[in-house]
Amino acid sequence: VDGGVERVEELERELGEARRTIEALERRQRVDALLVEAEAVDLEAARLLTERAVEQMDEPDVSAAVEELRRHRPYLFRRREGGAGGGGGVMAAREEEGDGGEVSQAAAEAAASGDRRDLLRYLRLRRRK
């Protein structure tokens, strides 16, 4: 009987972990979809910043986090209306192509690790380019 109770508890823990993993993957998919819709030019940086914002919310709201990011960091998104600086996002992307992949590599590392130091390293490299 004890072995059966322990097994049930273990299965409940595994089920809880699986549910948390599914929720995290669904949230990431929602974040990516909203960032693409908002025309993020740097998806990795925008994703990391959005996920951090959502984690800090009492009631997680991905849409609100993306809109807040768009307001406070407009350089991460394409401009929606025309104007003098209309190609800023495209220019930034072209500049990154000439860095030998260093900025792209740093972005990939920051996205994979989720570590703030990696994100800051990536942002410093972007600023220098």
Side-chain angles (χ1 to χ4, degrees):
V1 175
D2 280 339
V5 171
E6 289 174 8
R7 180 70 179 142
V8 168
E9 289 173 353
E10 179 184 343
L11 290 172
E12 286 175 350
R13 278 192 300 277
E14 289 176 8
L15 179 60
E17 288 175 24
R19 284 184 177 147
R20 285 187 294 278
T21 300
I22 290 169
E23 288 170 4
L25 290 171
E26 287 174 344
R27 185 176 68 221
R28 182 174 178 161
Q29 182 180 17
R30 174 122 171 92
V31 166
D32 285 354
L34 288 173
L35 289 172
V36 167
E37 183 179 314
E39 299 182 32
V41 293
D42 188 340
L43 189 60
E44 292 85 10
R47 179 189 306 126
L48 287 170
L49 293 168
T50 302
E51 288 178 352
R52 294 291 179 240
V54 169
E55 288 172 2
Q56 295 174 357
M57 294 177 165
D58 292 333
E59 293 185 31
D61 184 346
V62 174
S63 296
V66 169
E67 285 307 312
E68 184 78 10
L69 182 64
R70 188 170 179 79
R71 268 194 306 280
H72 292 286
R73 297 178 189 240
Y75 54 86
L76 289 174
F77 300 88
R78 277 197 183 86
R79 290 185 177 212
R80 288 190 174 158
E81 65 263 359
V90 174
M91 292 300 286
R94 287 187 184 144
E95 288 173 10
E96 281 186 25
E97 290 173 6
D99 71 359
E102 185 179 12
V103 174
S104 298
Q105 177 68 27
E109 289 172 8
S113 72
D115 186 351
R116 183 177 180 176
R117 290 173 295 197
D118 290 339
L119 175 59
L120 292 173
R121 177 177 170 268
Y122 162 71
L123 293 173
R124 278 192 299 273
L125 287 170
R126 278 248 355 223
R127 193 175 317 132
R128 281 191 236 148
K129 295 294 174 191

Coordinates of all heavy atoms in Angstrom, one line a residue, residues 1 35 46 49 55-56 61 75 82 92 112:
V1 N 0.8 -1.2 0.0 CA 0.0 0.0 0.0 C 0.9 1.2 0.0 O 0.6 2.2 -0.7 CB -1.0 0.0 1.2 CG1 -1.7 1.3 1.3 CG2 -1.9 -1.2 1.1
L35 N 4.7 38.9 -31.0 CA 5.8 39.7 -31.4 C 6.0 39.8 -32.9 O 6.3 40.8 -33.5 CB 7.1 39.2 -30.8 CG 7.3 39.4 -29.3 CD1 8.5 38.6 -28.7 CD2 7.4 40.9 -28.9
A46 N 13.4 40.7 -28.0 CA 12.0 41.1 -27.6 C 11.3 39.9 -26.9 O 10.6 40.2 -25.9 CB 11.2 41.4 -28.9
L49 N 12.8 39.9 -23.2 CA 12.2 41.0 -22.4 C 10.7 40.9 -22.1 O 10.3 41.2 -21.0 CB 12.5 42.4 -23.2 CG 13.9 42.8 -23.3 CD1 14.1 43.9 -24.3 CD2 14.5 43.1 -21.9
E55 N 6.7 37.3 -16.4 CA 7.1 36.6 -15.1 C 6.9 37.5 -13.9 O 6.6 37.0 -12.8 CB 8.5 36.1 -15.2 CG 8.7 34.9 -16.1 CD 10.2 34.5 -16.3 OE1 11.1 35.2 -15.6 OE2 10.5 33.6 -17.1
Q56 N 7.1 38.8 -14.1 CA 7.0 39.7 -13.0 C 5.6 40.2 -12.7 O 5.3 40.9 -11.7 CB 7.9 40.9 -13.2 CG 9.4 40.5 -13.2 CD 10.3 41.6 -13.6 OE1 9.9 42.7 -13.9 NE2 11.6 41.4 -13.5
D61 N -0.1 38.7 -18.5 CA -0.8 39.2 -19.7 C 0.2 39.5 -20.8 O 0.8 40.5 -20.8 CB -1.6 40.4 -19.3 CG -2.5 40.9 -20.5 OD1 -2.3 40.4 -21.6 OD2 -3.4 41.8 -20.3
Y75 N 12.5 50.7 -30.8 CA 13.6 50.3 -31.7 C 13.6 48.8 -31.9 O 14.3 48.3 -32.9 CB 15.0 50.8 -31.2 CG 15.3 50.3 -29.8 CD1 15.9 49.1 -29.5 CD2 15.0 51.1 -28.7 CE1 16.1 48.7 -28.2 CE2 15.3 50.7 -27.4 CZ 15.8 49.5 -27.2 OH 16.1 49.1 -25.9
G82 N 4.9 55.4 -42.2 CA 6.1 55.9 -42.9 C 6.6 57.2 -42.2 O 6.0 57.8 -41.4
A92 N 19.3 48.2 -38.9 CA 19.9 47.5 -37.7 C 20.2 46.0 -38.1 O 21.2 45.5 -37.8 CB 19.1 47.6 -36.5
A112 N 18.7 31.1 -25.4 CA 18.8 29.8 -24.9 C 18.9 29.7 -23.4 O 18.3 28.9 -22.7 CB 19.9 29.0 -25.6

